[in-house]
Amino acid sequence: MTVSFAQEFLDDVVDEIKPLLVLHWAEIAVRQDKIKLNPDWPKYEALEAQGALRIFTARELGQLVGYFVTIVGPGLHYKDHLFAENDVIFLKSSHRRGLTGVKLIKFAEACLRQDGVSVLQINTKTHQAFDPILQRLGFECFERNYSKWISD
């Protein structure tokens, strides 16, 4: 089957994204016993209204099989450049073999470049990393993130 790629608006895809987001959370989220999935949809809507939210989709026969969501804006330390920060990226397990993920990232990159973005940053979970794919696409690992649960 052929997969198609598009940039879509939140209102048009939110109902389709929600069930995939639950699968995504169950697969990669850490501290699931303490932090439950609870997206701030009004904040996403506000980001889209500001022109900062970009949603890229992968569809097969019209059905959503993956998404790549970024937040775009000037860097706090580099105001002369637009940065696209990856919020979430997910592809159904049935579509992870082959080039669907690569094509989704390349499609998003092309769209973001047309929008004047200088830097695209993608984060991965260490327990579900896809670093070799990102490296083949020309991404470099240049920063590490550490996390610690500090609440009671």
Side-chain angles (χ1 to χ4, degrees):
M1 293 288 165
T2 302
V3 176
S4 61
F5 305 94
Q7 184 172 349
E8 300 190 50
F9 293 105
L10 182 62
D11 281 347
D12 297 330
V13 298
V14 69
D15 290 335
E16 294 176 278
I17 282 179
K18 287 179 180 180
L20 291 185
L21 195 56
V22 172
L23 293 174
H24 185 180
W25 177 81
E27 184 178 329
I28 61 103
V30 296
R31 301 186 183 102
Q32 292 182 16
D33 58 326
K34 296 177 170 89
I35 303 174
K36 300 301 178 194
L37 179 64
N38 187 17
D40 188 344
W41 296 113
K43 188 171 278 187
Y44 279 99
E45 291 168 1
L47 286 167
E48 187 166 74
Q50 296 166 10
L53 185 70
R54 303 291 197 288
I55 300 172
F56 304 100
T57 59
R59 293 180 177 278
E60 184 177 70
L61 298 175
Q63 297 296 311
L64 188 67
V65 298
Y67 52 77
F68 180 37
V69 179
T70 64
I71 311 299
V72 175
L76 288 174
H77 301 152
Y78 313 101
K79 69 179 184 175
D80 298 331
H81 293 272
L82 286 177
F83 286 72
E85 303 279 344
N86 166 232
D87 178 49
V88 289
I89 184 170
F90 181 73
L91 199 57
K92 283 180 138 181
S93 60
S94 58
H95 289 77
R96 291 183 191 161
R97 294 205 183 270
L99 296 174
T100 302
V102 167
K103 289 178 180 179
L104 177 59
I105 293 169
K106 284 184 170 184
F107 175 79
E109 183 179 332
C111 292
L112 292 164
R113 184 180 298 111
Q114 286 181 334
D115 288 346
V117 171
S118 298
V119 179
L120 170 57
Q121 297 184 154
I122 299 176
N123 58 65
T124 65
K125 301 288 189 206
T126 56
H127 64 281
Q128 195 79 9
F130 50 97
D131 296 38
I133 293 169
L134 293 174
Q135 290 166 354
R136 279 196 305 272
L137 289 171
F139 288 84
E140 299 171 282
C141 181
F142 67 92
E143 187 170 279
R144 295 184 191 270
N145 245 341
Y146 287 85
S147 174
K148 179 181 180 181
W149 180 262
I150 60 170
S151 182
D152 292 333

